[in-house]
Amino acid sequence: MNNILVARNVTKKYGNKMALNDVSLVIPKNSIYGLLGPNGAGKTTLIRIINQITYPDSGEVIFDGELLRPRHIALIGYLPEERGLYKSMKVGEQALYLAQLKGLSKADANQKLKYWFDKLEIGDWWNRKVQELSKGMAQKIQFIVTVLHEPKLLIFDEPFSGFDPINANIIKDEIIKLKEKGTSIIFSTHRMESVEELCEYIALLHNAEKILDGRLEDIKKEYKNNMFRVGLEMENGENFLKLISDKFDISSSNYDYNRKQLDFTVQLPTDDTRAFLALVSAEASINNFIETIPSANDIFIQTVQRKNDNE
Amino acid sequence: MNKLSLIIKREYLAKVRNKSFVIMTFLSPILMVGMIVLIAYLTKVNDSQKRIIGVFNESNYFSTDFTTNERTSYIFFKDISLQAAKDSTLSLGIFGLLHIPDRSSLEEVAESTFFYSKEPPNTLVLDLLEDIFEERLRQGKLLDMGVSTEQFAAINDKFEINIANFTGEQNLKGINEMKAFIGGGFGYLIMMFIIIYGGFVMRSVIEEKTSRIIEVIISSVKPFQLMLGKIIGTSLAGITQFAIWIISASLLLFVVFLVFGIDLTGYSEQSVMASNPMSGISPLPATTDTMQLYALELLQIPWGLLISLFLVYFVLGYLIYSSIYAAIGAAVDNETDTQQFIFPIILPLMLAIYVGFFSVFNNPHGPIAVAFSLFPLTSPIVMLMRLPGGIGEGGVPLWQVIISIVFLILTFIGIVWLAAKIYRVGILMYGKKPTYKELFKWLKY
């Protein structure tokens, strides 16, 4: 019961095209989960299955300990990648309609909408028509409608596409607040860097298959290869560089004469850094020493390459 | 159920509040009444014009045959040359000149007769003149055979056959056509409604696709609910529009009659004839007696049955067609791509109307009429044209009504199931120009 969503061996075919091949996922409660992968990997299909827009050919989905059922729709909030609003409808009326479709009563929806409209400072727009709105405004309304019914699980498909940076930050903050209140969140995106900082867990999808999943921290630990970025302040940096180049694997080095600053990347044989640091600190003062952790994107590329090599 | 009513309400309001809907709804009756008044006026003007024909008769025949009637009058030229007669015809500005030369026999006279006119005469004029000649020629031949003029007058009696059904009730001539007109009116209404409001359903689906709201909605409701809600909501808007039209048009007509002081009973008949271009038969000047009979016969049409069956056929027919329209809307990205799919839908509707008007009118219970009134894509229209004759003896056999409704219900279930499948897949497909092959593949998704 500590998982909001469990997918077991989910398979979905569109005609002859495999959209999801035996995908299993575990999404822990009250976490931010990144569903990552390039376009066409099967992310949207999986999300549509969770939203019961389509159904898997085989496999099952467990929502909060129960087999996924139509009544769970009211407990899920979904912001699709292809999102829009009725152009000729008034903003408030439309938000009310969408909220009522999610099962809220009219009075309830009205009250909650007023709260959110004030919070995101779009209260004046209640009686305007959607076609008068800017794209960012429309996105705010879509966000409100997605979270209004206080779902247990929120699913955002490419959430930040179309947002300007200011609005993207406002939305990001609101999402984090929702998570703190206990909501579980799924982010789906092909732009991995955009959500990496937010996600605790990730799953990588590629060609309809899950190629990797788990806690982001653990994955990174597994994928890090003891590369460090080092910044030293010393005289005769070039000589020192030559000296350690014999012992260690050094790359992208640079020595700045004026500032007496030596920068380089070093690959250590083990994750024991003491020997290296002892050697360096004897000769120079260390300005910085940072482990270069692979980004989700790097991990993705590495995993795909490794998989292709194996085949 | 609650969600369905929400969708119906939204679709209804979205349609009814639309500016073009409001304009159409309130402008159409005015236009319609205007048209009727205009047509009636033009017909009157047209009729009041009398045609004048000059007759230059040099022969010994036809001296008494050209008598003035309400449409045509004749001017007779005597003792002038043909050229002078032609010149005077032109200078008088009359329609034409009939020249009957002097010959030795009636046949020769008829052979060498000419009609001169500036514009080529229409068949009405020619028929009138030809009738006169034919009558004389026939009489002449009969005289040659020894039939006297009195005897000829005696044979020339007009005759109308009396018709009755087997229970001995007397039937009225043309009553079948009149009944078929009433049924045809209902059928025509269904066709118009399907084409107009089916198109609205389709455009509404396309709008949801292009505005990209569709996936937001179907994460809350089932696609089938959305499709059904859309179809029902749109049709309710249509019914509203029709109700407003019927009420306001009859009010307006009433006002027009009052203002112009036109006799209602005579006028309504004329306006019906004028507004219905398909009517080939014009009612003969009837005595009040036969008028009474016609009225009685029309009252005997089973209106209750007709209207309740109209509702059944209307609802089923509309649901079948509009779910196809919804599926088309889902399959395409914009309206220009719909053409290839719309034609096959309109085809059976047009076929039903034409078969109705040409086949059912002549023989409401003939094999073609029966076949088309059972075939589910045409039955809502064709069956309604047959139904004013009643069900049972003298009308549509009960089994045919039952079978056609059963077929219709089965087709309804099948089509809605197929349409819902295409709809479900189509609404989430962007940027694909679908082919029939593609649609067939979607059925298996």
Side-chain angles (χ1 to χ4, degrees), chain B residues 305-432:
Chain B
L305 179 86
L306 194 61
I307 288 172
S308 41
L309 280 174
F310 166 74
L311 288 176
V312 170
Y313 281 104
F314 169 75
V315 168
L316 288 172
Y318 171 74
L319 283 177
I320 287 176
Y321 276 99
S322 56
S323 51
I324 302 177
Y325 270 107
I328 294 174
V332 299
D333 277 346
N334 55 61
E335 223 180 314
T336 45
D337 290 346
T338 60
Q339 297 305 331
Q340 53 162 334
F341 298 112
I342 290 207
F343 181 66
I345 309 190
I346 301 216
L347 199 65
L349 289 173
M350 293 311 246
L351 204 63
I353 286 288
Y354 284 123
V355 163
F357 278 122
F358 291 116
S359 179
V360 177
F361 276 25
N362 291 332
N363 186 1
H365 308 305
I368 298 290
V370 171
F372 275 86
S373 64
L374 296 184
F375 180 61
L377 290 180
T378 53
S379 65
I381 293 167
V382 178
M383 187 56 101
L384 280 173
M385 292 187 179
R386 296 179 62 202
L387 273 176
I391 290 178
E393 199 185 326
V396 183
L398 183 63
W399 66 268
Q400 288 181 4
V401 178
I402 293 172
I403 283 191
S404 84
I405 291 179
V406 169
F407 275 0
L408 208 54
I409 291 173
L410 291 179
T411 312
F412 162 68
I413 294 168
I415 293 268
V416 169
W417 180 76
L418 285 178
K421 283 205 131 185
I422 291 177
Y423 180 84
R424 198 168 56 92
V425 178
I427 46 178
L428 297 173
M429 291 277 181
Y430 293 110
K432 262 192 186 174

Side-chain angles (χ1 to χ4, degrees), chain A residues 189-256:
Chain A
T189 181
H190 66 278
R191 290 169 56 236
M192 298 172 203
E193 70 284 356
S194 69
V195 294
E196 210 183 327
E197 49 179 312
L198 292 170
C199 297
E200 294 160 72
Y201 297 86
I202 60 162
L204 292 181
L205 291 183
H206 181 63
N207 283 342
E209 286 179 30
K210 182 190 76 180
I211 52 173
L212 182 73
D213 69 335
R215 188 186 283 273
L216 185 58
E217 237 172 80
D218 299 342
I219 290 173
K220 287 198 164 179
K221 239 176 233 165
E222 197 182 313
Y223 274 77
K224 70 180 184 178
N225 41 9
N226 302 319
M227 295 267 264
F228 295 87
R229 187 76 191 156
V230 185
L232 304 176
E233 197 178 329
M234 67 189 306
E235 307 279 345
N236 292 325
E238 280 165 323
N239 290 342
F240 180 70
L241 198 62
K242 252 181 222 155
L243 183 76
I244 56 167
S245 286
D246 295 339
K247 293 181 186 167
F248 298 102
D249 189 359
I250 303 290
S251 57
S252 44
S253 55
N254 178 49
Y255 181 64
D256 188 333

Side-chain angles (χ1 to χ4, degrees), chain A residues 48 78 82 84 86 93 101, chain B residues 3 17 208 211-212 215:
Chain A
R48 284 178 181 167
Y78 172 38
E82 298 284 2
Y86 287 113
E93 207 179 346
L101 283 187
Chain B
K3 284 182 184 176
R17 282 185 194 161
E208 274 174 1
S211 73
R212 299 288 196 264
E215 200 168 348

